[in-house]
Amino acid sequence: MIVLLKIFLLRSFVFPQTTNIQVLLWELASLVIIFGLLELTKPRTTALFWIINLLLSTYFMANVIYYSYFGQLLNFHAILQFRLINELNTSIFDLFSPAYFVFYVDFILLFILQPFISLSKRVLPFSRFEKSPKVTTFFPSLTHRHKTTSAYYHKTILIVILLALFLSLLNIGFYSTKDNRMAMTRDVGLFNAQGYELYKYLSKSNETSLKSEQFNQAAVNQLKQIEPILWPKYFGSASGKNVILVQLESTQNFLIGLSVNNQEITPNLNNLVKQSLYFSHFYSQIGQGNTSDAEFITNTSIYPLQKGGISTDYVDIDYPSLPRLLKAKGYTSFTFHPNDVTFWNRDNLYPALGFDKYFDKDYYRDEDRLGQWGSSDEILFKKALPILIDYRNRNQRFYASLITLTNHHPYVLPQHKKQIMLPSKLEGTTIGNYLSSVNYQDYALGKFINDLKVANLWEDSIFIVFGDHFGVTKVMEREHKDTLTHLLGREHDVIHALNVPLLIRVPGLKPQVIDSPGGQVDLLPTVANLLGVTLGQQITFGQDILNHPQNLLGFRFYHPEGTFITSDLLHMSGSKIGHSLDNRTITRNDEFFLKEEQRIKSLMQLSDGYLQYLDHKENASVLLNQ
């Protein structure tokens, strides 16, 4: 029963105030299946049960740590990405709490009591310790050696297992919102939900039933309810310009214009807003691939996977992409990322996206290394500049993508890199560290902009800056609720977490603030319009947000499938309300929400089918040659 207690503790971390007797019975049924099967194994040793207990305890603790950052529980894709843990050890250490040792309390007690047990065995050789049954975590009373030889006993255990399995399957079968993994885990139990996910993972077909003629822009536009525009605004405003795109790590939009102690957190971004098209309602749409998903979405205008990362699951494809669109116009494309290019399988992702070259850790050589990730943002930009100048001097137009690194959780900067003085109540806190780290990233960006001006590249380039994903983690949101509320003027919520900045500076184009909503999936068609590049037969699941103010944006992994943002509200799938993007006013409209949920699910299913279609090399080749 100790494992059931540990599940209760896990639920107290993740689902406080939602654990009741009924849910614990569902959890108990899954444990009956697991430990019942162990009872039927041969040989049945005490060591085996303790090993299983240790593995489960570690799994429970890992779930709590994972939830503290991502707001989700581990799934099989996350477990299969275990090799990435070495790159994340500082974040894991920062998220770890001594309270999590509670999952090992039985091991700790056993270690403490072991000398006394050994002593008792020596002093009382005929004591009960000599004849004690196996110590197990679930069936302690049923493991006596005389019972284990009984066929009746095995049949009884098998019947109990089958009964528990039947009840679990019945529970899962009648659960209505299987698309909402967190809600399902909360309501039907951890292992029941994981068992269902494993079933889906193993039974998933690698073949799409959709035909090639179903993949066209008209089908996408119909789902999005938009019409092509014959003469779009701003078409060709940046024609012939170089493209410089900066993807900001863990940068949320609330930081724009934010001041602490009369010091701007992002003074250079604030200044850039005054020179750019600033999209104040732009949203991150990453999946489990996080930063690498942001790179994929913005360069392809295709949705990420519901589970897993594109860079690990779908890379042996020549994607129709922004680099390939620009290559047809004579551009060379390259990307700068000071981390090891094998992290998140980028050594395969970048060629799949059509980049001609990448500059990673081998180029930066950890110069001015900050944390465990790689060179500082200052060095990222400084060492990229000569490459850009060289291409300019050769009259070669280019698309350069630069991925910042320094502003990565846990946001710890050496003192000499800090540019602002925080109030004492923020100094040394995770929120304070985040603000200092964002400010340093902004400082490095400002130096880069000045260098581009000196090199005469500023007026010859379209300059794009956007955030990849949230920076405030679940544990930060919980532990620093009052501080965030003070900084933002309201509680930090899911809209804040999704909202990231997008700024596009086009030389000669009048700056303006654009309030219509957009997402990372919209970046490619928007930039293509500015460059005067027609998409032809290339399918995009986003839209040009300069010409289409109405939008429907979908979100995956971190949010239930069917969650969407429209022109003015966010609706979480499974709920009965929507929240205004501006003032968080609550809206209730069941019919509208259900209709829009189905529409966004259909759009993302079409995107999934398109990915599977592209996974066949001959199909990707046909699309690229159209």
Side-chain angles (χ1 to χ4, degrees), residues 256 266-279 442 445-446 448-450 452-453 457-459 461-465 502-514 530:
I256 304 293
T266 59
N268 293 294
L269 281 174
N270 296 345
N271 186 50
L272 190 60
V273 165
K274 301 171 186 175
Q275 309 170 46
S276 306
L277 303 173
Y278 169 48
F279 299 83
D442 181 84
L445 179 68
F448 181 51
I449 290 173
N450 288 332
L452 291 173
K453 291 176 180 177
L457 281 166
W458 185 245
E459 295 301 325
S461 305
I462 175 176
F463 192 74
I464 307 162
V465 180
L502 170 63
L503 297 84
I504 303 177
R505 182 193 179 270
V506 180
L509 197 61
K510 183 180 178 180
Q512 60 177 302
V513 177
I514 297 170
L530 288 168

Side-chain angles (χ1 to χ4, degrees), residues 20 29 70 105 121 129 171 207 239 251 272 278 291 371 383-384 432 441 488-489 496 499 522 553 565 568:
N20 52 43
F70 296 109
V105 66
K121 286 183 177 181
F129 292 104
N171 181 28
E207 299 295 327
S239 179
T251 303
L272 190 60
Y278 169 48
T291 299
K383 295 192 73 169
Q441 175 185 251
L488 276 64
H496 287 120
N499 190 197
D522 298 320
L553 302 169
I565 280 179
D568 56 359

Side-chain angles (χ1 to χ4, degrees), residues 252 474 477 484 488 490-499 570 579-581 584:
Q252 295 177 220
K474 282 291 182 181
E477 189 176 70
L484 286 167
L488 276 64
R490 61 160 61 105
E491 285 189 17
H492 184 275
D493 58 19
V494 65
I495 297 176
H496 287 120
L498 288 170
N499 190 197
L570 164 76
H579 291 275
S580 163
L581 299 177
R584 307 305 195 262

Side-chain angles (χ1 to χ4, degrees), residues 599-610:
R599 192 154 66 96
I600 194 61
K601 284 181 180 179
S602 296
L603 181 65
M604 292 192 290
Q605 286 168 4
L606 187 63
S607 177
D608 291 342
Y610 183 55

Side-chain angles (χ1 to χ4, degrees), residues 338-613:
N339 198 3
D340 190 330
V341 75
T342 60
F343 187 58
W344 279 107
N345 205 24
R346 285 183 171 91
D347 51 334
N348 291 317
L349 175 65
Y350 290 146
L353 292 176
F355 283 104
D356 298 296
K357 193 171 185 179
Y358 56 77
F359 298 87
D360 76 323
K361 190 173 186 175
D362 286 344
Y363 175 70
Y364 284 95
R365 299 188 177 278
D366 280 346
E367 183 180 343
D368 192 30
R369 182 185 177 97
L370 291 181
Q372 69 181 85
W373 300 100
S375 296
S376 68
D377 289 347
E378 288 176 270
I379 298 301
L380 162 70
F381 296 128
K382 180 180 178 180
K383 295 192 73 169
L385 186 65
I387 305 296
L388 308 187
I389 293 174
D390 179 60
Y391 276 93
R392 191 275 312 279
N393 290 343
R394 288 190 274 153
N395 294 318
Q396 173 61 57
R397 286 181 296 175
F398 59 80
Y399 163 38
S401 171
L402 300 97
I403 316 299
T404 67
L405 270 180
T406 303
N407 187 44
H408 197 289
H409 187 273
Y411 313 119
V412 178
L413 279 180
Q415 193 63 38
H416 70 278
K417 291 290 186 182
K418 294 182 179 180
Q419 306 294 317
I420 57 172
M421 294 291 294
L422 294 174
S424 56
K425 65 180 181 180
L426 288 179
E427 191 66 47
T429 66
T430 313
I431 288 294
N433 290 342
Y434 179 54
L435 295 177
S436 292
S437 181
V438 169
N439 177 257
Y440 168 76
Q441 175 185 251
D442 181 84
Y443 165 75
L445 179 68
K447 289 181 65 176
F448 181 51
I449 290 173
N450 288 332
D451 289 342
L452 291 173
K453 291 176 180 177
V454 172
N456 295 320
L457 281 166
W458 185 245
E459 295 301 325
D460 200 30
S461 305
I462 175 176
F463 192 74
I464 307 162
V465 180
F466 77 97
D468 63 352
H469 57 69
F470 62 89
V472 177
T473 65
K474 282 291 182 181
V475 69
M476 289 167 66
E477 189 176 70
R478 182 177 68 246
E479 293 180 354
H480 301 283
K481 179 179 177 180
D482 292 342
T483 300
L484 286 167
T485 301
H486 175 72
L487 290 172
L488 276 64
R490 61 160 61 105
E491 285 189 17
H492 184 275
D493 58 19
V494 65
I495 297 176
H496 287 120
L498 288 170
N499 190 197
V500 294
L502 170 63
L503 297 84
I504 303 177
R505 182 193 179 270
V506 180
L509 197 61
K510 183 180 178 180
Q512 60 177 302
V513 177
I514 297 170
D515 293 326
S516 54
Q520 290 169 339
V521 75
D522 298 320
L523 191 59
L524 185 156
T526 303
V527 172
N529 177 62
L530 288 168
L531 292 171
V533 177
T534 56
L535 297 175
Q537 297 300 311
Q538 182 162 328
I539 299 172
T540 59
F541 289 84
Q543 63 194 47
D544 173 12
I545 47 179
L546 288 169
N547 287 280
H548 294 283
Q550 304 298 318
N551 211 335
L552 180 69
L553 302 169
F555 302 90
R556 313 201 90 163
F557 180 66
Y558 292 102
H559 308 283
E561 194 80 349
T563 296
F564 64 81
I565 280 179
T566 62
S567 298
D568 56 359
L569 63 81
L570 164 76
H571 169 72
M572 300 289 287
S573 179
S575 74
K576 294 182 179 298
I577 59 175
H579 291 275
S580 163
L581 299 177
D582 288 320
N583 55 25
R584 307 305 195 262
T585 302
I586 293 177
T587 301
R588 301 178 188 276
N589 190 332
D590 290 352
E591 183 179 351
F592 172 75
F593 293 152
L594 182 60
K595 182 185 72 174
E596 297 301 275
E597 276 190 36
Q598 291 304 316
R599 192 154 66 96
I600 194 61
K601 284 181 180 179
S602 296
L603 181 65
M604 292 192 290
Q605 286 168 4
L606 187 63
S607 177
D608 291 342
Y610 183 55
L611 274 174
Q612 294 177 39
Y613 176 74

Side-chain angles (χ1 to χ4, degrees), residues 200-220:
K200 285 187 66 179
Y201 179 77
L202 295 176
S203 63
K204 179 183 176 182
S205 172
N206 290 322
E207 299 295 327
T208 176
S209 60
L210 297 174
K211 304 298 183 182
S212 60
E213 57 268 20
Q214 293 178 263
F215 298 111
N216 55 69
Q217 196 60 48
V220 174

